[in-house]
């Protein structure tokens, strides 16, 4: 599972803190899958669940809740992750029950085992409405043939026939990484306050990386569980998908980052889904916004002559884009292109073969 591309500079943006860098306040991290935890605040535990691929693990959080624990995010559905949770139930969580499962958003590394844990402990899933229902929709695609709209979408981006065939073969795999979802849930709403273990947590939602991602902010504990909304070393993937080809998720993402900065104070400890907890929220948000704006400027410059989507990757990504990253890179490039179209900086035309060509509005298509 990949949630984004690593930043070229490793996420260490300029900051007023310690020699101009983000601060990582915890000297040790829990071993993924071990069942061990690090206490990041009174009654708040940091655990790690194993992931395949370059990310290696996802951070999950357990918050003391009466006689049990509320957990935030779950990891992907694999035997290894299920065993890691069994280790945690018997280890750091001390055999106490899970009272609720809170999921920041629908991606499998976050929601993958929510159905298993809620059934095991007869507790409720909490998440935003759009995340729950879109997850149900994507799971329903499991086993379906790839739709013709999807084939047209990727052909328009400049994919060759081998890439199209790979898309067809892999389509419908989303649900394989997710245990059967609960048939009911408890809705989280932006701005809502609720209690866990006597402390009040506020829901702060964002869009762009996913439909209605929920962050959880606790002023009393000075913590922000940020999910994938703000990560210290990774720029979360922001993509356009075949289901909404004209969407502008990058503008949504930039507005959401500005909203988090305006809502949550800079001095919180940020508990992200990937990498380590850190301080320097506003600095990191500024870096993420400016990084995307620089990418938009590079992309517009590259479009002095018409380009297909697959021709634009060099303006946005430092690493080579092979078959394993092609889908993510295409979605993110389209997010930048659609944003520039919305800003009237770029226009698009489609040729007789169904391939889309993009050019800066000052040039000719």
């Amino acid at each position: 599972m990949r949630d984004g591309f690593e930043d070229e500079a490793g996420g260490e943006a300029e900051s007023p803190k310690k020699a101009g860098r983000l601060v990582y306040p915890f000297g040790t991290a829990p071993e993924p899958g071990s069942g061990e935890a690090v206490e990041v605040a009174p009654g708040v535990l940091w655990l790690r669940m194993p992931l395949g691929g370059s990310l290696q693990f996802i951070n999950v959080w357990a918050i003391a809740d009466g006689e049990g624990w509320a957990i935030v995010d779950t990891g992907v559905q694999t035997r290894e992750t299920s065993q890691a949770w069994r280790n945690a139930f018997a280890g750091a969580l001390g055999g106490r029950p899970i009272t609720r499962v809170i999921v920041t958003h629908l991606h499998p590394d976050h929601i993958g085992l929510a159905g298993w844990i809620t059934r095991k402990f007869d507790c409720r899933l909490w998440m935003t409405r759009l995340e729950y229902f879109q997850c149900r929709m994507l799971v329903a695609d499991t086993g379906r043939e790839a739709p013709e709209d999807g084939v047209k979408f990727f052909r328009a981006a400049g994919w060759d026939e081998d890439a199209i065939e790979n898309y067809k073969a892999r389509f419908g795999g989303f649900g394989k990484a997710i245990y059967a979802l609960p048939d009911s849930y408890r809705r989280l709403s932006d701005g809502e306050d609720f209690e866990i273990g006597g402390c009040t947590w506020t829901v702060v939602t964002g869009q762009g990386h996913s439909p209605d991602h929920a962050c959880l902010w606790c002023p009393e504990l000075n913590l922000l569980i940020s999910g994938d909304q703000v990560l210290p070393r990774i720029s979360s993937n922001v993509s356009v998908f075949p289901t909404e080809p004209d969407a502008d998720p990058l503008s949504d993402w930039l507005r959401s980052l500005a909203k988090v900065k305006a809502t949550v104070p800079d001095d919180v400890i940020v508990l992200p889904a990937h990498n380590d907890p850190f301080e320097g929220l506003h600095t990191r948000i500024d870096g993420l916004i400016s990084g995307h704006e620089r990418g938009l400027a590079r992309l517009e410059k590259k479009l002095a002559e018409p380009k297909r989507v697959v021709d634009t990757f060099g303006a946005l990504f430092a690493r080579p884009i092979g078959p394993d990253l092609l889908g993510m890179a295409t979605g993110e490039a389209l997010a930048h292109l659609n944003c520039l179209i919305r800003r009237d900086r770029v226009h698009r035309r489609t040729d007789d073969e169904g391939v889309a060509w993009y050019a800066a509005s000052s040039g000719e298509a």
Side-chain angles (χ1 to χ4, degrees), residues 314-335:
L316 297 172
F317 312 118
R319 69 178 73 180
I321 301 300
D324 59 329
L325 291 174
L326 180 60
M328 177 180 286
T330 297
E332 184 131 353
L334 275 164

Side-chain angles (χ1 to χ4, degrees), residues 50-110:
L51 286 177
S54 61
L55 290 178
Q56 299 184 337
F57 59 82
I58 181 173
N59 298 321
V60 300
W61 314 95
I63 307 170
D65 191 19
E67 297 301 313
W69 300 94
I71 61 172
V72 182
D73 289 339
T74 70
V76 71
Q77 179 194 220
T78 63
R79 290 182 181 179
E80 186 180 13
T81 311
S82 299
Q83 184 57 52
W85 273 112
R86 292 187 185 98
N87 296 341
F89 298 149
L93 304 185
R96 292 158 59 184
I98 304 304
T99 59
R100 53 188 132 174
V101 176
I102 303 170
V103 172
T104 57
H105 63 295
L106 61 82
H107 293 155
D109 53 332
H110 297 260

Side-chain angles (χ1 to χ4, degrees), residues 154-155 157-166 308 310 326:
F154 290 115
R155 187 164 285 133
W159 284 23
D160 61 24
E161 289 306 312
D162 286 344
I164 294 290
E165 289 304 314
N166 188 43
R308 304 168 301 169
V310 295
L326 180 60

Side-chain angles (χ1 to χ4, degrees), residues 140-323:
D141 281 338
T142 305
R144 283 186 58 204
E145 290 187 3
E148 185 60 26
D149 281 1
V151 173
K152 291 178 180 178
F153 176 86
F154 290 115
R155 187 164 285 133
W159 284 23
D160 61 24
E161 289 306 312
D162 286 344
I164 294 290
E165 289 304 314
N166 188 43
Y167 160 69
K168 291 178 179 179
R170 296 179 62 180
F171 181 81
F174 181 91
K176 296 176 182 178
I178 297 176
Y179 195 94
L181 288 173
D183 292 311
S184 64
Y185 77 111
R186 197 282 200 185
R187 180 185 177 188
L188 292 174
S189 298
D190 184 46
E192 172 188 3
D193 294 333
F194 64 95
E195 285 195 1
I196 307 176
C199 291
T200 299
W201 294 77
T202 299
V203 180
V204 183
T205 61
Q207 295 75 41
H209 177 64
S210 67
D212 200 27
H213 180 296
C215 300
L216 303 178
W217 169 39
C218 182
E220 181 179 344
L221 297 174
N222 203 34
L223 298 178
L224 175 71
I225 298 178
S226 66
D228 284 345
Q229 185 69 40
V230 186
L231 303 173
R233 295 192 178 97
I234 298 172
S235 179
S236 299
N237 181 248
V238 178
S239 280
V240 172
F241 297 99
T243 46
E244 193 179 355
D246 297 316
D248 182 14
L250 185 55
S251 292
D252 293 337
W253 177 247
L254 296 173
R255 282 192 296 269
S256 295
L257 289 170
K259 170 187 169 183
V260 173
K261 181 179 177 181
T263 303
V264 182
D266 186 39
D267 65 352
V268 296
I269 297 176
V270 183
L271 307 181
H274 306 287
N275 310 133
D276 289 353
F278 69 97
E279 298 173 2
L281 174 66
H282 291 185
T283 293
R284 181 55 178 151
I285 288 173
D286 289 344
L288 288 167
I289 292 172
S290 64
H292 280 296
E293 292 293 347
R294 289 194 300 272
L296 288 164
R298 290 194 304 269
L299 181 57
E300 183 179 355
K301 185 176 180 180
K302 190 177 183 70
L303 295 176
E305 299 292 335
K307 299 285 190 302
R308 304 168 301 169
V309 174
V310 295
D311 302 325
T312 67
F313 294 160
L316 297 172
F317 312 118
R319 69 178 73 180
I321 301 300

